[in-house]
Amino acid sequence: MRVYSGTDIGRRRSVNQDYVYASEAPVGNLPNLFIVADGMGGHNAGDFASAFAVQVMVDSVKEDADFNPVKVIRHGLEVANHELIEQAKKSEERKGMGTTMVVATVVGNYAYVANVGDSRLYVVGDHITQITQDHSLVQEMVRMGELTEEEARNHPDKNIITRALGAEENVNIDFFDFRLEKDSNILMCSDGLSNMVSNEEIQRIIQTGAELQEKGETLLNLANEHGGKDNIAVVLIEPFTEEVKTC
């Protein structure tokens, strides 16, 4: 397994509210753990929310005695949601803060994924597939047939999300699992990348023969070249490197 992770403040923002975590080594009973979070809130609340929620999530996973990856991830997200709400109660400046979060772990030939909000996970091979579904107003309109995907890309309400950690006492989490093929690459990102760089550009960059770090940095740079309207976060994973194990 090879992993690249990075964030960039972008060209329009004064604070970086995106936060990433990437561990190829075991975290608690999970064999690895990858997280992208995109915070929201005024003052410094957004950057606090994303960093704090990720740390609570990681600590929860480390302490969880369960071996079921879905249960471990669910519990971690629920704890992070609760702790964010409690922190918001303690400070007027942090009132209303929250964060998106997409979480993944690779167990053998399978990836287990959870998301809340509009940070995404893609699997990239011969083609690119978005695994997660955005919890956003615009994406709801796409699902209902009111907008096309192309219209959604430039819609003025694109940044309005319908779910976030810290928003409500009971967090609604989506879960996905899928089998990884020998050429599968995993991309996790905030909307600062997905809003700026097309799926075709993402696939082209990931499918080049460049080193993983170069691919990741190219994605960050391209988002900035296209305007860098938001913070940008990228976690890029090559699950299988030299040898490929099959079940």
Side-chain angles (χ1 to χ4, degrees), residues 33-108:
L33 181 61
F34 309 101
I35 307 172
V36 169
D38 180 358
M40 59 186 189
H43 303 286
N44 295 323
D47 59 324
F48 174 85
S50 57
F52 178 79
V54 170
Q55 190 57 60
V56 171
M57 175 79 195
V58 172
D59 289 344
S60 174
V61 172
K62 288 178 178 177
E63 297 168 4
D64 202 313
D66 209 307
F67 284 89
N68 182 313
V70 173
K71 291 181 178 179
V72 172
I73 291 171
R74 179 188 294 280
H75 183 244
L77 286 166
E78 290 173 345
V79 172
N81 183 64
H82 173 76
E83 291 299 322
L84 266 181
I85 291 171
E86 291 303 306
Q87 285 291 321
K89 293 176 181 177
K90 297 177 182 178
S91 168
E92 187 63 30
E93 289 189 346
R94 292 175 180 166
K95 185 178 180 181
M97 71 177 176
T99 185
T100 71
M101 192 175 286
V102 57
V103 183
T105 187
V106 176
V107 183

Side-chain angles (χ1 to χ4, degrees), residues 195-214:
N195 284 347
M196 294 286 103
V197 183
S198 70
N199 285 6
E200 292 76 18
E201 289 172 313
I202 290 171
Q203 185 184 15
R204 176 178 55 78
I205 290 165
I206 292 177
Q207 289 296 88
T208 65
E211 290 295 318
L212 192 65
Q213 180 171 341
E214 184 179 343

Side-chain angles (χ1 to χ4, degrees), residues 166 180 194:
L180 293 160
S194 56

Side-chain angles (χ1 to χ4, degrees), residues 2-4 210-217 236-238:
R2 295 192 185 102
V3 180
Y4 167 84
E211 290 295 318
L212 192 65
Q213 180 171 341
E214 184 179 343
K215 294 177 185 180
E217 291 174 350
L236 192 53
I237 307 162
E238 291 178 348

Side-chain angles (χ1 to χ4, degrees), residues 102 104 111 113 118-125 127-134 139 149 153 158 178 180 184-200 202-203 206 219 233-237 239:
V102 57
V113 181
D118 63 355
S119 293
R120 295 180 176 180
L121 184 143
Y122 297 88
V123 61
V124 185
H127 54 278
I128 181 169
T129 304
Q130 182 181 336
I131 300 298
T132 55
Q133 293 186 359
D134 295 354
Q139 196 56 44
E149 287 287 356
R153 280 186 65 82
K158 186 163 180 60
F178 58 95
L180 293 160
S184 295
N185 296 270
I186 295 170
L187 169 66
M188 302 165 66
C189 65
S190 65
D191 64 344
L193 181 78
S194 56
N195 284 347
M196 294 286 103
V197 183
S198 70
N199 285 6
E200 292 76 18
I202 290 171
Q203 185 184 15
I206 292 177
L219 289 170
V234 169
V235 173
L236 192 53
I237 307 162

Side-chain angles (χ1 to χ4, degrees), residues 212-243:
L212 192 65
Q213 180 171 341
E214 184 179 343
K215 294 177 185 180
E217 291 174 350
T218 299
L219 289 170
L220 292 176
N221 291 336
L222 191 57
N224 276 323
E225 288 173 17
H226 287 350
K229 294 180 181 179
D230 201 350
N231 309 143
I232 312 149
V234 169
V235 173
L236 192 53
I237 307 162
E238 291 178 348
F240 310 121
T241 49
E242 300 304 322
E243 67 282 349

